């Protein structure tokens, strides 16, 4: 699995940095200040855009599931690495998944700026987890007795 790359700015001196998605401690290469990155629930990232300045932006939420998946069926225990995104709102013309974009691009922390609007997800993290579980369960033949 490829770790996501997140563009970050030092809160002390403003120097740019690129972090891995799992980094929670950041030491600035310029001013040497160490910061702890915290979020009350989950981190939110956005793909970079090339919209002209002054255009209103509307950000559409996608949930991401990344890790190991183990499924127990009649005949065996299936294991696989998953890194999958799924749209979090009902929006027919938008792609159901982001594909490999999050893995191939440097993401940015999602912040309200420049008048951008963020659509609210239709379901919270628990609903997203059930949706991912159903998606992965449907890919297996026969009944799935346990999945983690």
């Amino acid at each position: 699995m490829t770790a996501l790359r997140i563009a970050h700015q030092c809160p002390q001196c403003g120097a740019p940095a690129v972090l891995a998605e799992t980094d929670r401690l950041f030491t600035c290469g310029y001013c040497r200040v160490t910061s702890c990155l915290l979020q009350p629930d989950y981190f939110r990232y956005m793909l970079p855009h090339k919209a002209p300045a002054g255009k209103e932006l509307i950000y559409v939420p996608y949930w991401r599931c990344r890790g190991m998946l183990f499924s127990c069926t009649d005949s065996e225990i299936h294991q696989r690495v998953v890194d999958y995104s799924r749209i979090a709102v009902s929006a027919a013309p938008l792609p159901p998944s982001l594909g490999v974009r999050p893995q191939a691009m440097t993401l940015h922390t999602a912040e309200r700026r420049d008048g951008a609007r963020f659509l609210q997800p239709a379901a919270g993290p628990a609903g997203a987890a059930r949706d991912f579980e159903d998606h992965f369960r449907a890919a297996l033949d026969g009944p799935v007795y346990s999945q983690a």
Side-chain angles (χ1 to χ4, degrees):
M1 283 188 284
T2 305
L4 292 182
R5 294 182 320 263
I6 312 299
H8 185 68
Q9 198 170 15
C10 175
Q12 180 70 25
C13 71
V18 176
L19 307 176
E21 67 179 312
T22 55
D23 289 343
R24 295 298 175 258
L25 288 176
F26 163 70
T27 302
C28 179
Y30 294 93
C31 68
R32 301 286 183 220
V33 167
T34 299
S35 302
C36 181
L37 307 176
L38 299 173
Q39 189 68 20
D41 46 14
Y42 47 87
F43 286 89
R44 294 166 178 87
Y45 303 113
M46 60 187 196
L47 294 170
H49 64 82
K50 295 181 182 177
K55 291 285 186 182
E56 180 184 31
L57 296 176
I58 299 174
Y59 291 99
V60 177
Y62 282 78
W63 288 109
R64 179 172 181 238
C65 178
R66 179 174 189 244
M68 291 292 301
L69 178 69
F70 299 92
S71 305
C72 182
T73 63
D74 286 345
S75 59
E76 65 183 304
I77 296 175
H78 301 268
Q79 62 184 14
R80 65 188 269 200
V81 175
V82 295
D83 192 348
Y84 182 71
S85 62
R86 188 130 178 144
I87 194 162
V89 295
S90 297
L94 296 173
S97 171
L98 293 173
V100 297
R101 285 180 198 96
Q103 300 158 8
M105 304 172 95
T106 299
L107 304 178
H108 300 274
T109 304
E111 300 171 359
R112 296 199 184 277
R113 57 179 155 205
D114 305 326
R117 292 187 330 176
F118 290 83
L119 298 180
Q120 292 297 316
R130 281 190 303 277
D131 187 39
F132 282 117
E133 185 176 313
D134 293 344
H135 171 77
F136 293 124
R137 191 176 294 254
L140 296 172
D141 294 330
V144 177
Y145 298 111
S146 181
Q147 193 165 325

